[in-house]
Amino acid sequence: MKEFILTIHILIASFWIGGMLFMVLVLSPYIKNLPNSTKLYKAVGKRYSIIGTVFGLPALFVTGILNMKNIGFPISELINPANIYTVVLQHKFFLFLVTSLLAVVHDFYLGERANKSEKLRKTTRFVGIANLLIGIAIIYLATKLRFGG
Ligand code: HEM
């Protein structure tokens, strides 16, 4: 069962990070020169948001907590880490909270208003790229966990 939980966790993590990488490196360079680029980006962003933000992030939290239990660490270790492994996990969890907050602001506030002004469009893009960088930092911390913290 623990392998199944970690597999689901890694699959959702792949969709979350892979989706952001695809939008920044593949989709954006292509559609930014198209006449209705903001409208196109909004449509693709909305679909990614439903799967990634609305369902993906809560599922990463649940499977993350189950991963902890399967390795023998209670949730309380996220608050009071007792060893280097749970210290790294606490940092990962903190970045998870930051990336979740940024995703909600990006998807449900900025993204909705991005076509209203150049400043809002640039802020939306900045927050999107910041969230990708935080996601990559989370993956780095995940690999540190693999090697014991
Ligand atoms: C954006 C959010 C997240 C991403 C991208 C992510 C990514 C990953 C990845 C790629 C692994 C596999 C590492 C490996 O086996 O080498 C992993 C493992 C793990 N994750 Fe996450 N994760 C996220 C959120 C969370 C959260 C919120 C928690 C806890 C509440 C968590 C707890 C764990 C644990 C305990 C493992 C097992 C580590 C081990 O093998 O020792 N993750 N995560």
Side-chain angles (χ1 to χ4, degrees):
M1 188 59 178
K2 65 179 188 293
E3 293 83 2
F4 176 70
I5 301 285
L6 186 56
T7 302
I8 300 293
H9 190 76
I10 295 175
L11 269 176
I12 302 167
S14 310
F15 178 87
W16 177 249
I17 304 289
M20 289 192 278
L21 282 170
F22 177 81
M23 286 212 264
V24 169
L25 301 176
V26 179
L27 189 69
S28 180
Y30 172 71
I31 68 172
K32 76 167 182 253
N33 304 320
L34 297 178
N36 51 353
S37 63
T38 306
K39 194 161 160 280
L40 278 173
Y41 219 86
K42 218 170 157 178
V44 174
K46 248 196 171 58
R47 191 163 175 73
Y48 170 74
S49 169
I50 291 164
I51 305 168
T53 306
V54 177
F55 291 102
L57 291 178
L60 275 168
F61 176 71
V62 172
T63 52
I65 296 294
L66 292 172
N67 281 339
M68 285 180 66
K69 282 191 168 353
N70 289 335
I71 302 169
F73 291 114
I75 293 182
S76 58
E77 291 257 353
L78 281 179
I79 317 300
N80 299 313
N83 55 57
I84 182 62
Y85 182 96
T86 48
V87 167
V88 173
L89 193 56
Q90 189 192 49
H91 295 165
K92 185 181 177 202
F93 185 64
F94 172 72
L95 285 185
F96 170 75
L97 294 178
V98 173
T99 208
S100 302
L101 181 66
L102 286 181
V104 168
V105 170
H106 177 277
D107 298 2
F108 302 111
Y109 181 78
L110 294 171
E112 293 294 326
R113 294 161 178 76
N115 54 352
K116 290 206 172 17
S117 75
E118 191 55 13
K119 191 163 171 268
L120 274 170
R121 194 184 68 74
K122 285 204 170 116
T123 312
T124 309
R125 189 172 157 68
F126 174 80
V127 172
I129 292 171
N131 230 3
L132 171 58
L133 297 176
I134 294 171
I136 294 169
I138 293 175
I139 294 278
Y140 170 71
L141 293 178
T143 60
K144 279 188 75 148
L145 293 176
R146 163 61 51 205
F147 295 108

